[in-house]
Amino acid sequence: MMFDKENQVVSISKKRIFLFLVFLCIFAAFVLSKFALTAWGYQGGSSVSDMITERGPILDRNGRVLAVQTMRYNLCVTLASVSDPEELKNLIAPVVEMTPEEIQKIFDSASPVFTYIKKDLNQEQADSLKKIIEDNNISGVKLEPVQGRIYPEKSMAAHVIGFLGKDGKGLEGMEFQFNDILSPDLLSGKRMSYGDQLFLTIDANLQFSLEKLVQESMDKTKADGAMLLVVSAKTGEILAYVSNPSFDLNNYGKASVLQRINLPAVYAYEPGSVFKVFSVASLLELGGIVDESSFKCTGVFEQTAPNGETFRIRCYNGAAHGIVHPREILQYSCNVGLSQASMTVGSKEFYDKLRELGFGSQTGIELGGETNGIFRPVSKWSLRSKPTIAFGQEISVSALQMVSAATSLANKGNRLQLTLVSKIQDHEGNIISKHTPKVVSKPFSKDTVNKVLSYMETTGLKGSGWRALVGDVPMGVKTGTAQMTDIETGKYSEEDITSSCMALFPVDDPEIILYSVVIKAKGDTLGSHIAAPLIKNAANVVIDYLAMERESALSVTHQGVISLPESQTLEMEDKVPDFTGMSKRALASLLGNKAYKIQIYGEGYVYKQNPPAGTAVTEGMEIELYLQ
């Protein structure tokens, strides 16, 4: 018997190839089947897709609901299972607000296994589609539930709260930064899964009032943009965060690029004379100047570089202030006096001190896209850089960096970490984490802080900050007017101005930091004329709202009758409406109806209901509404 080794090898190779191909086909079939099942939300048994999930709400510091879950739907199709695509597109087109031709284009490029027709449909659209599918016995079409959001306060604090994408995941603001905390844990093994509750430091009542003031300022000055920040000086908590222009979170897709810009976090600008507060404090701390130091202002500061190049720095309108001390430098906002004072310390020392204050780096607040600003290292400075930086040019900052630095003036030299998060709770109200003040650096001594606050008080009483004063609460103030760079010429513009004002009060032991910025106002652009009055109006609101002590409290008489607007009558017809975001007062009209029973749990605004919206109303049914 002969042994053909060569034929045996060929035979074995063919068998191996055949077995490999069989295995590959089985594996491919398995993967495709899993994909199809997953696409249709089925994985068998008690799967993730069977779980009831609820995204945690976002609330203000007092528990007022700012973002609450609702259900949205994606319409998807398996074309291979649709018997009459022509009929389908004509039936669903009006409901999904598309033309049959637009749907046909989707069909033409669609996978036969799984394709989305329209995402982010509301409950009413979903109900209509369900009826069409049932009445016409259509197969291959499914409504995929997706977590959505209702923002009861619409545009309030929009840049802080953020919003969800069509896939139910956060895209901006707190919705993005805390997506994993707000979203339920789908791997928990529980059938009902809840996200945690996020409490902001924002006070919604204060936010509403101050947004209105900023809008009035925008209307009056015809500015391109404006910012207003209110910070609790002893904690670093931001009580109000206003960025204008803004947008309605419920319709974020219609917002322009400019409306969605989070100005306090991402907009970098030259701060102008408000920055002098930190320069003077730094020079005092470094020992370059003392309270009694004197400088002569002739209206111009001039120096010549080794290469013979001369530069000049002038005071506003060429004013000559004569002999000035550190107090008068801030009072008169004297560029010349501060330029001379800046030469008393080394460039590296000055740079390092300003870096301690947080300039040139992000504040670390809980927001995405935060700017570092522009603060070049000393190696890239020119001869004029140090004096120019000292009065707020040749450096770019964010509004958040400015109030972060200001916390050091309110806490005996300790700079605090800014925050927008008050606490995080689970759905049962158990506290998971709570904000406590955190010191991030100590740039100044108590003695330096006391001097600078005293100088700022003088600036308010006798200098350019008088329009920011409320009269019966002592305030430390500094205003600023900074020319913006013309992009085309690379030089400072005569028309485009950043106007600003900062105030701390009560000045002897500050509890509140206020900072306003008005961008590209038309007409009068002086910070003392347009940003300072905004601070005054805001300070009055804050002081009264927080019941801060005034030196002369007013007594007001009232007839004893308060007129309240009539509450809107809410009616329930054939289907249970979506109650999410409604106040307890708005639900009052339903309570007397004997055809059904309403059970209300908690206070505030509806964040959960049972049965869900769209359920048919039946005689004697019980509806549970949960408020927070």
Side-chain angles (χ1 to χ4, degrees):
M1 182 176 179
M2 296 183 64
F3 180 74
D4 190 340
K5 185 177 181 181
E6 184 176 308
N7 287 336
Q8 186 189 42
V9 171
V10 171
S11 176
I12 292 173
S13 297
K14 287 181 179 179
K15 287 180 181 179
R16 286 179 177 175
I17 292 171
F18 176 75
L19 290 173
F20 175 74
L21 290 174
V22 170
F23 172 77
L24 191 62
C25 290
I26 293 172
F27 178 75
F30 172 77
V31 170
L32 286 172
S33 64
K34 292 294 288 183
F35 171 77
L37 290 173
T38 302
W40 288 104
Y42 175 76
Q43 293 181 22
S46 179
S47 69
V48 170
S49 63
D50 294 328
M51 293 174 61
I52 302 172
T53 63
E54 186 171 299
R55 188 177 178 90
I58 298 176
L59 311 100
D60 86 334
R61 65 187 300 111
N62 301 312
R64 183 168 169 179
V65 177
L66 303 177
V68 67
Q69 177 171 300
T70 187
M71 195 58 70
R72 309 293 287 184
Y73 297 87
N74 297 333
L75 179 64
C76 37
V77 62
T78 297
L79 275 178
S81 301
V82 177
S83 59
D84 191 345
E86 188 72 20
E87 176 193 34
L88 174 62
K89 71 180 182 183
N90 290 324
L91 287 171
I92 67 175
V95 181
V96 298
E97 298 175 352
M98 297 173 67
T99 64
E101 291 74 21
E102 288 173 329
I103 297 175
Q104 185 60 53
K105 287 182 180 179
I106 296 174
F107 286 172
D108 291 343
S109 59
S111 161
V113 178
F114 180 83
T115 296
Y116 285 109
I117 297 176
K118 186 72 176 283
K119 292 186 176 182
D120 200 31
L121 299 170
N122 59 36
Q123 186 68 52
E124 184 179 355
Q125 290 171 307
D127 291 341
S128 297
L129 290 168
K130 287 177 185 176
K131 190 173 189 310
I132 289 172
I133 293 169
E134 291 172 2
D135 291 351
N136 295 276
N137 196 27
I138 297 173
S139 60
V141 181
K142 181 189 174 184
L143 284 163
E144 175 186 78
V146 179
Q147 288 180 6
R149 277 301 215 208
I150 287 179
Y151 301 96
E153 305 301 338
K154 298 182 179 179
S155 63
M156 181 190 288
H159 299 90
V160 174
I161 298 168
F163 50 83
L164 303 187
K166 293 180 181 180
D167 59 356
K169 295 181 180 179
L171 290 182
E172 288 185 10
M174 295 293 158
E175 295 278 33
F176 173 75
Q177 295 296 320
F178 290 87
N179 187 72
D180 292 343
I181 287 173
L182 292 165
S183 288
D185 180 7
L186 298 180
L187 301 178
S188 64
K190 301 176 182 177
R191 189 171 185 278
M192 184 68 193
S193 185
Y194 298 91
D196 294 327
Q197 305 176 66
L198 183 65
F199 286 77
L200 305 183
T201 59
I202 299 294
D203 187 303
N205 293 325
L206 204 55
Q207 180 78 19
F208 175 80
S209 297
L210 297 181
E211 284 186 2
K212 185 178 178 181
L213 286 180
V214 171
Q215 185 59 57
E216 289 172 357
S217 177
M218 289 274 288
D219 293 341
K220 184 177 180 180
T221 63
K222 307 300 180 186
D224 284 5
M227 299 174 263
L228 179 64
L229 297 175
V230 183
V231 181
S232 173
K234 302 300 183 188
T235 66
E237 295 181 350
I238 296 181
L239 305 180
Y241 186 109
V242 184
S243 180
N244 192 313
S246 188
F247 60 99
D248 185 345
L249 289 169
N250 298 298
N251 295 295
Y252 70 87
K254 297 181 180 179
S256 68
V257 173
L258 290 177
Q259 288 174 320
R260 283 174 56 175
I261 294 176
N262 186 341
L263 291 173
V266 308
Y267 180 64
Y269 59 96
E270 291 192 348
S273 293
V274 174
F275 197 78
K276 290 173 182 172
V277 168
F278 305 116
S279 297
V280 168
S282 297
L283 297 174
L284 285 168
E285 187 68 23
L286 293 170
I289 62 174
V290 294
D291 196 37
E292 299 80 15
S293 296
S294 62
F295 306 93
K296 186 176 181 179
C297 172
T298 61
V300 61
F301 174 71
E302 183 176 298
Q303 277 207 330
T304 302
N307 62 4
E309 182 182 348
T310 299
F311 74 88
R312 294 178 180 85
I313 290 172
R314 302 181 185 277
C315 279
Y316 179 69
N317 279 344
H321 299 116
I323 300 300
V324 293
H325 304 90
R327 185 181 301 274
E328 287 78 34
I329 287 175
L330 291 186
Q331 178 186 339
Y332 301 138
S333 201
C334 181
N335 291 344
V336 171
L338 185 55
S339 295
Q340 294 177 50
S342 71
M343 307 309 285
T344 63
V345 301
S347 297
K348 184 65 165 59
E349 294 175 276
F350 188 52
Y351 172 84
D352 288 344
K353 183 56 65 177
L354 294 178
R355 288 284 296 180
E356 270 189 84
L357 284 162
F359 297 112
S361 59
Q362 298 176 4
T363 67
I365 202 167
E366 306 91 348
L367 289 171
E370 190 181 3
T371 182
N372 290 313
I374 301 173
F375 191 20
R376 296 179 303 158
V378 176
S379 60
K380 295 185 178 181
W381 286 12
S382 66
L383 185 63
R384 68 174 296 152
S385 292
K386 185 168 51 175
T388 304
I389 290 169
F391 59 78
Q393 290 185 348
E394 209 174 309
I395 181 172
S396 292
V397 303
S398 70
L400 286 173
Q401 287 175 337
M402 292 292 282
V403 294
S404 172
T407 62
S408 64
L409 300 177
N411 295 282
K412 301 177 181 178
N414 294 312
R415 183 167 69 93
L416 302 184
Q417 174 64 53
L418 296 180
T419 185
L420 282 161
V421 177
S422 174
K423 62 182 177 180
I424 299 173
Q425 292 182 175
D426 65 19
H427 74 283
E428 294 180 340
N430 301 309
I431 295 178
I432 297 172
S433 65
K434 190 172 183 178
H435 171 70
T436 55
K438 178 184 178 183
V439 176
V440 291
S441 65
K442 185 175 175 57
F444 304 131
S445 66
K446 182 179 178 180
D447 182 59
T448 294
V449 165
N450 289 340
K451 285 187 174 71
V452 173
L453 288 174
S454 176
Y455 300 164
M456 291 180 72
E457 184 175 21
T458 299
T459 302
L461 294 171
K462 299 179 180 181
S464 63
W466 65 271
R467 290 181 178 86
L469 301 184
V470 296
D472 52 5
V473 175
M475 300 172 67
V477 181
K478 186 69 189 80
T479 62
T481 306
Q483 293 172 288
M484 301 174 70
T485 303
D486 188 313
I487 298 176
E488 293 183 1
T489 65
K491 298 180 180 179
Y492 283 112
S493 170
E494 295 296 329
E495 297 179 354
D496 296 339
I497 302 294
T498 302
S499 314
S500 60
C501 183
M502 179 174 283
L504 291 86
F505 57 88
V507 70
D508 55 339
D509 188 19
E511 297 175 29
I512 295 293
I513 299 166
L514 281 181
Y515 183 51
S516 67
V517 182
V518 181
I519 305 166
K520 291 187 180 182
K522 310 302 183 290
D524 193 346
T525 57
L526 290 176
S528 58
H529 289 185
I530 60 176
L534 177 55
I535 287 292
K536 177 180 180 177
N537 293 335
N540 273 317
V541 170
V542 171
I543 291 166
D544 289 342
Y545 181 74
L546 298 180
M548 296 175 69
E549 185 177 349
R550 288 184 181 267
E551 292 178 359
S552 55
L554 297 176
S555 296
V556 180
T557 59
H558 195 275
Q559 71 270 27
V561 178
I562 300 175
S563 298
L564 296 175
E566 294 183 7
S567 59
Q568 185 178 0
T569 301
L570 183 65
E571 297 181 355
M572 195 159 61
E573 298 177 352
D574 57 333
K575 291 184 178 180
V576 176
D578 188 347
F579 292 102
T580 51
M582 291 186 181
S583 66
K584 194 171 187 178
R585 184 179 176 187
L587 302 170
S589 60
L590 296 177
L591 299 179
N593 197 313
K594 296 181 179 180
Y596 43 80
K597 184 177 181 183
I598 302 287
Q599 295 282 4
I600 298 177
Y601 303 96
E603 299 289 335
Y605 297 81
V606 177
Y607 74 94
K608 184 172 67 172
Q609 69 181 73
N610 183 41
T615 302
V617 174
T618 57
E619 186 75 22
M621 76 182 302
E622 184 171 310
I623 301 172
E624 298 176 328
L625 302 176
Y626 298 86
L627 283 65
Q628 63 183 14

